[in-house]
Amino acid sequence: MESYRLLFEKNPLPMWVFDLESLRFLDVNDAAVQKYGYSRSEFLAMTLGDIGPKEDVPRLREALGSLKPTDRMIGIWRNRKKDGTVFDAEVLSTEVTILTRRARLALLNDVTERLRGDRHRATEIGVTRVLIDAKSFAEAAPQAIAAICQAEEWALGEVWLYDAAASVLRLDGTWHAPGLRDMHGIELASARLAIRPGVGLVGRVWQRDTPVWIRDLREEEELGWAEYSERFGLRSAVGFPIRARSGVEAVAVLFSQAIREPDEPLLDLLADIGSRIGQIFERDKVEASRRASVEAFQKAFHASPVPMAISSLHDGRFVEANLQFLRLFGFERAEVVGRSSLELEMWVDQQQRRVLGERLKERGSIRDAEVQIRAKAGQVRRALMSIEYLDLRDQPTIITTLVDITEFVGAREAQARLAAIVQSSEDAIFGKSLTGEILTWNAGAERMYGYSASEAVGQSVEMLVPDDRRKEFERIMARLRNGEKIEPLETVRLRKDGRKIVVSVGVSPLRDGAGRLIGGSTIARDITERKRSEQLVRRSEARFRQLFEVAADATFLIDRRGTILEVNPAGAALAGVKDPAALRGINIGELLPPRELESARQYLRDLLHDRPIVEPFEIHLEPAGSDRRFLHVRSRVIREEGTDPYVQVVARDVTPEKEYQRRLLESERQASMGQVAAFVAHEINTPLTNISLLSANLARAAKDPGVLEKLVKIDAQRRTAANIVSELLSLTRSQDMKRIPVDVRGVVEAAIEQTGAFRMPDVRLVQELPKDPLIAPVDPLRMQQALVNLLKNAFQATGSGSVTVRLQSENDHITIAVLDTGSGIDPEMRARLFQPFVTTKPRSEGLGLGLVFVKQVVEGHDGSIQVISEPGRGSTFTITLPNPSDKAPAKGTKAAAPRTTPKAP
């Protein structure tokens, strides 16, 4: 006992012992004193209800009252420390006895942070799903607020939109928990309210651009929150900004009916969610801007002094042409729209058209390509053609602009320089001296770094290098001075606006005509977006892994040979394995029963060969130490370029549904059997009665012994048929039990007396009945008849040995057991023992309905019956009945009942 005492006192987790009836603390350990802040003497003067919210006490008493002495209680309860701090505790308790009184030993673990983390993850997943599916801010914002409230258990959520014209915030949408009453009033009141920046919770969040937490609204005097707090039971609130690029565009506010302490991780999460919702808002603004841009483009297109035309990318037919384009070629609009440049013979050189077409496919655009065109009247003109892809009303098109340079053919040098610019790379390309001075600067460099050529040429290339990359730059320059070529490497550079970009940089030495090293040529490509995309992919993979790990359905990834590549915890649990890693590398066929292997292999082959399959595919597992589990399997083949295909298998445990179907089928079968039994009894009883009367009349008149013997046999067969009909008919009678408080000993003794004739001389009857009355509410006649069937079966199965009848009372139920030392029952027969017309006896000795009747009677008493049997070693049938009056008689009944009960027919 001393070792158990030390284990209790020194346990690092809080432990205590409390009285089950009064809930008063009997003992606490040091960890509990330290955790809750109460002294040991203060604890011993308190009850469980003193350390938790008062509203939880009735539920706590109900949970404790339903426990049996052998039950272990596991649950999560809210507890309050001496300083008022409320936290969630996971409680494990077992029953102990102290000085003959029932008590419980409890072990507690603070799971507040774990539950908070679970809620935050659920919030992030729910909001992510909403934002992925949302098409607009008006759709995303209220759904995101609802997802946050549901995951974090906030009662009310609001979205306030900033009205830039009036410089106020107005209510844009609300969500509230179903149990929050009279919300219509607060919605109407808030809808009429306009809040200025800096005023109240909403205004402060907008002005500060950061989340704000109010612990107790009753202490908030602004905007009448104290009134709303009392009226709607709101206690705590938190607001966070919804931010777009232009600033805070809206504010979301959440309300709780319980006081909540500030939660820094939640505030960070809400700030991130506000930014993500703000991206939807920004997207809406961009879409509105795009529509305005389209309208402006149409106006500019037709008013442009430059010839322009739009043609379909699919067949090259013109969709639209402006006035300058029509004038250049001399066509009317009706002659151009709907026809292609080939049909209108606009090209002088068809080969040039094909070359430009290939270039357009390769580069995505064409800039100032010199072409020859033919007007309607046949004149050949020279023009600079530029082509860009254009999405017009979801129709892929190209827009072509032409600059007539026929009059400027003589200016070839300027045109050559223009062609060089057109041919220039999209990458940043510039030359530098060995000292780092920039010598040349192309358009790609202008776009990438933000410096024009005039700004960059003559400056040191160090202006592009961040301070933390100076040493790297010096090493590159040292290698360049040694004449080395620097292969592309990833690094960071600075733009003119101070923004850092990730670039891939390669440097090649430059030499003059004499082969002397004079500098280097740098080619840089902006890979910032690519790196960001790679980061997003990694995050997506992490989220998928999280969903995979927490999925309720078992999920396996297997290769084409059935080898398990990955499995989630649900899959490991289904296979009876704690660690999923233990299943990796084994063949999934090792988890299946032998009789399921061939069908599973065929299913896998059909999947991999894209043959039709029926889903869900039904299969079952037989885990060691567990019952058979039935599964519904759905699978898909995943094919990735450069790798062998693999299969994702999702298995759902449908064992409970299978059991429900079995019970439903059993119920329907019994109902059908009852109808047949009623029909047979009605149709056969009348001729049996006539046979009885006729045989009795013949017996009185007959003198011949042979005739009398045959009449006796006829009557015996008639009684056998009548007994069969009686057994069938008993199954159709109402199963309503007329339960009254009786001494169950009398019911058992009456059944023993009624079956005495079936006991063999060499069979000993053992009665293990309690000395004191055992009062329980039962239907004495039905229960006696059920026991008669069990005893009769036991006597008939036992040629020698003993039959034992045992009656016991245990806690809130009683058990009646019939044990025999007879021939026993094999497992296959035992599985079907309570089905109609199933019997171990010859057909002449039994119809197989006795045990069906027994089961109906027991279940009509809200009880159960179990059988344990081994061939050659006998059988044990145990009836378990609830006994709510075990401690005291039920209200409205007498405390005792006669021991003698009427015998069952």
Side-chain angles (χ1 to χ4, degrees), residues 670-690:
Q670 289 189 1
S672 300
M673 185 185 67
Q675 293 176 356
V676 172
F679 175 80
V680 170
H682 180 269
E683 295 298 325
I684 293 180
N685 271 338
T686 299
L688 287 179
T689 302
N690 292 336

Side-chain angles (χ1 to χ4, degrees), residues 261-322:
E261 300 297 332
D263 183 345
E264 289 299 330
L266 179 57
L267 288 173
D268 293 340
L269 177 60
L270 292 177
D272 179 65
I273 289 173
S275 297
R276 291 160 63 189
I277 298 175
Q279 292 175 6
I280 304 294
F281 187 92
E282 188 70 31
R283 189 180 69 189
D284 287 357
K285 290 177 62 176
V286 170
E287 178 60 24
S289 175
R290 188 193 68 82
R291 288 194 295 269
S293 177
V294 170
E295 294 177 3
F297 168 78
Q298 290 176 345
K299 293 179 180 178
F301 175 82
H302 289 288
S304 174
V306 178
M308 303 175 69
I310 301 174
S311 55
S312 170
L313 186 63
H314 175 64
D315 55 15
R317 297 183 182 276
F318 288 108
V319 176
E320 189 59 272
N322 70 355

Side-chain angles (χ1 to χ4, degrees), residues 434-743:
L434 294 177
T435 61
E437 179 185 351
I438 298 174
L439 303 175
T440 62
W441 191 258
N442 78 337
E446 291 182 340
R447 289 190 293 271
M448 183 180 298
Y449 293 109
Y451 293 99
S452 66
S454 60
E455 292 174 316
V457 173
Q459 300 296 321
S460 173
V461 75
E462 288 187 1
M463 71 178 184
L464 307 177
V465 181
D467 291 339
D468 59 348
R469 297 281 177 166
R470 295 288 183 182
K471 292 184 178 180
E472 176 190 72
F473 171 72
E474 291 172 0
R475 289 194 296 270
I476 292 174
M477 290 301 296
R479 292 176 60 188
L480 176 62
R481 294 186 189 102
N482 290 331
E484 296 182 36
K485 178 180 180 180
I486 291 86
E487 297 295 335
L489 58 88
E490 292 183 4
T491 186
V492 178
R493 291 292 181 259
L494 278 175
R495 284 176 47 86
K496 180 181 179 180
D497 59 10
R499 183 164 56 90
K500 292 182 178 181
I501 57 175
V502 183
V503 296
S504 174
V505 174
V507 182
S508 300
L510 288 178
R511 300 181 185 273
D512 61 13
R516 290 174 298 189
L517 183 66
I518 60 173
S521 172
T522 300
I523 301 178
R525 175 170 295 173
D526 187 349
I527 59 172
T528 306
E529 290 302 322
R530 190 189 79 189
K531 300 298 289 185
R532 185 178 290 115
S533 298
E534 291 173 355
Q535 185 179 22
L536 290 175
V537 168
R538 287 194 295 271
R539 289 180 181 174
S540 177
E541 290 174 349
R543 293 191 185 102
F544 170 78
R545 165 59 61 180
Q546 185 179 25
L547 292 174
F548 178 81
E549 292 292 336
V550 303
D553 289 339
T555 305
F556 298 81
L557 299 181
I558 62 174
D559 64 15
R560 62 187 309 133
R561 291 175 292 279
T563 303
I564 297 176
L565 306 176
E566 191 62 81
V567 58
N568 69 347
L574 189 62
V577 177
K578 292 183 179 180
D579 185 7
L583 295 177
R584 298 187 190 114
I586 73 171
N587 194 283
I588 198 168
E590 297 178 29
L591 306 179
L592 302 176
R595 57 181 171 273
E596 295 283 2
L597 282 177
E598 186 53 37
S599 62
R601 288 169 180 160
Q602 186 60 46
Y603 174 73
L604 182 59
R605 285 193 292 267
D606 290 342
L607 269 174
L608 291 170
H609 289 87
D610 295 325
R611 290 194 285 264
I613 58 173
V614 177
E615 286 193 332
F617 173 67
E618 293 194 1
I619 200 168
H620 73 270
L621 295 180
E622 296 177 354
S626 180
D627 295 333
R628 176 185 296 183
R629 312 301 298 173
F630 293 91
L631 308 177
H632 275 180
V633 175
R634 298 180 185 274
S635 308
R636 67 187 183 100
V637 180
I638 301 175
R639 292 182 169 87
E640 296 177 345
E641 189 173 352
T643 63
D644 289 335
Y646 58 95
V647 180
Q648 181 190 44
V649 180
V650 179
R652 174 164 295 179
D653 188 348
V654 295
T655 306
E657 288 88 341
K658 286 283 187 182
E659 178 61 18
Y660 173 78
Q661 293 174 359
R662 185 194 66 76
R663 291 184 179 182
L664 182 61
L665 184 61
E666 177 73 15
S667 174
E668 292 175 350
R669 181 166 59 184
Q670 289 189 1
S672 300
M673 185 185 67
Q675 293 176 356
V676 172
F679 175 80
V680 170
H682 180 269
E683 295 298 325
I684 293 180
N685 271 338
T686 299
L688 287 179
T689 302
N690 292 336
I691 292 172
S692 175
L693 294 174
L694 291 173
S695 60
N697 290 335
L698 290 174
R700 285 194 296 270
K703 304 297 183 180
D704 187 351
V707 173
L708 291 173
E709 180 180 0
K710 292 179 180 179
L711 289 174
V712 170
K713 292 180 179 180
I714 291 173
D715 190 63
Q717 293 299 316
R718 191 270 310 168
R719 286 197 300 273
T720 299
N723 287 335
I724 293 174
V725 172
S726 178
E727 287 189 35
L728 284 172
L729 193 59
S730 68
L731 298 178
T732 67
R733 294 171 183 159
S734 171
Q735 298 304 314
D736 294 338
M737 301 297 158
K738 300 178 181 178
R739 287 186 269 185
I740 59 174
V742 298
D743 187 351

Side-chain angles (χ1 to χ4, degrees), residues 662 666 669 820 822-836 838-841 851-852 855 865-878:
R662 185 194 66 76
E666 177 73 15
R669 181 166 59 184
D820 66 64
S823 57
I825 307 169
D826 62 72
E828 183 179 354
M829 177 61 72
R830 192 165 63 245
R832 301 185 299 116
L833 203 56
F834 292 100
Q835 296 178 8
V838 174
T839 179
T840 60
K841 307 173 187 176
L851 289 179
V852 177
K855 185 177 181 182
I865 182 169
Q866 294 180 328
V867 57
I868 301 174
S869 182
E870 292 185 31
R873 302 190 65 177
S875 305
T876 299
F877 287 80
T878 303

Side-chain angles (χ1 to χ4, degrees), residues 799-859:
S800 61
S802 65
V803 172
T804 302
V805 182
R806 182 180 298 145
L807 174 62
Q808 292 178 324
S809 175
E810 300 177 0
N811 297 325
D812 56 354
H813 63 274
I814 61 174
T815 59
I816 308 172
V818 178
L819 306 81
D820 66 64
T821 59
S823 57
I825 307 169
D826 62 72
E828 183 179 354
M829 177 61 72
R830 192 165 63 245
R832 301 185 299 116
L833 203 56
F834 292 100
Q835 296 178 8
F837 308 112
V838 174
T839 179
T840 60
K841 307 173 187 176
R843 183 59 67 185
S844 60
E845 297 182 14
L847 194 58
L849 298 175
L851 289 179
V852 177
F853 174 78
V854 172
K855 185 177 181 182
Q856 289 182 346
V857 171
V858 172
E859 291 180 347

Side-chain angles (χ1 to χ4, degrees), residues 79-100:
N79 280 198
R80 180 183 290 110
K81 299 180 184 179
K82 187 175 181 179
D83 62 7
T85 303
V86 177
F87 65 96
D88 294 310
E90 186 176 47
V91 182
L92 170 64
S93 73
T94 57
E95 186 159 321
V96 296
T97 302
I98 298 179
L99 299 178
T100 72

